[in-house]
């Protein structure tokens, strides 16, 4: 059976400030993992793939001083990317599925996969809440 790397990354670290044109912070994106990965969904995937998981929780932006924010964002994005890279080196996966919160999750996932593939072609489907 083919192996799937399921990355569960809870984050709203990229949501420190109210979006341009908005009036409130977009809270709740950090719960995307639980909202998407229902038992039914995971059960259906597990019929096709042997699932190996990687879980990562980013810091909450309200716990970070303004002057440290960008350093922490870069550090944690790199940490998740490095964890993904190491996981990909440890086994042969047919597919990688990343589920998470804000854009910091997407960036880290893509960085980890690009580091692993070192210039080879990547096929990626990115679903986002923005139209």
């Amino acid at each position: 059976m083919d192996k799937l790397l399921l990355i569960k990354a809870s984050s709203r670290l990229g949501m420190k400030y109210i979006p341009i044109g908005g009036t409130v912070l977009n809270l709740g994106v950090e719960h995307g993992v639980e909202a998407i990965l229902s038992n039914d969904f995971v059960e259906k995937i597990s019929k096709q793939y042997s699932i190996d998981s990687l879980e990562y929780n980013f810091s909450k932006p309200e716990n970070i001083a303004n002057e440290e924010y960008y350093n922490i964002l870069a550090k944690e994005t790199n940490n998740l990317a490095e964890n993904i890279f190491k996981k990909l080196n440890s086994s042969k996966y047919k597919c990688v599925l990343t589920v998470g919160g804000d854009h910091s999750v997407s960036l880290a996932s893509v960085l980890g996969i690009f580091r692993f593939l070192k210039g080879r072609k990547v096929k990626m489907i990115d679903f986002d809440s923005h139209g």
Side-chain angles (χ1 to χ4, degrees):
M1 183 178 280
D2 290 329
K3 288 180 76 173
L4 170 98
L5 176 57
L6 176 59
I7 302 163
K8 303 174 185 178
S10 177
S11 177
R12 67 178 163 82
L13 187 56
M15 307 295 263
K16 181 146 177 89
Y17 304 105
I18 295 173
I20 295 172
T23 57
V24 296
L25 279 173
N26 292 333
L27 301 179
V29 295
E30 68 275 22
H31 303 296
V33 174
E34 297 89 21
I36 293 169
L37 295 178
S38 67
N39 290 335
D40 185 52
F41 181 82
V42 173
E43 184 179 314
K44 286 178 183 176
I45 290 177
S46 64
K47 289 178 182 175
Q48 290 184 302
Y49 294 98
S50 169
I51 300 174
D52 192 8
S53 293
L54 170 65
E55 295 188 28
Y56 192 89
N57 294 309
F58 284 79
S59 296
K60 292 192 174 13
E62 63 270 17
N63 297 334
I64 302 171
N66 285 341
E67 62 274 3
E68 289 297 314
Y69 175 71
Y70 292 109
N71 290 332
I72 299 288
L73 177 61
K75 180 181 174 191
E76 292 203 19
T77 298
N78 189 59
N79 285 345
L80 178 54
E82 195 59 30
N83 283 325
I84 293 167
F85 173 77
K86 288 176 183 175
K87 196 77 163 169
L88 290 172
N89 272 320
S90 71
S91 188
K92 186 171 181 150
Y93 295 98
K94 180 76 172 183
C95 185
V96 178
L97 174 61
T98 304
V99 180
D102 67 14
H103 301 302
S104 56
V105 172
S106 298
L107 177 58
S109 179
V110 170
L111 283 173
I113 292 167
F114 281 178
R115 287 177 187 168
F116 174 73
L117 292 175
K118 297 179 185 165
R120 289 182 275 167
K121 287 186 177 182
V122 174
K123 295 177 182 175
M124 181 176 145
I125 299 172
D126 186 4
F127 294 99
D128 199 317
S129 63
H130 307 289

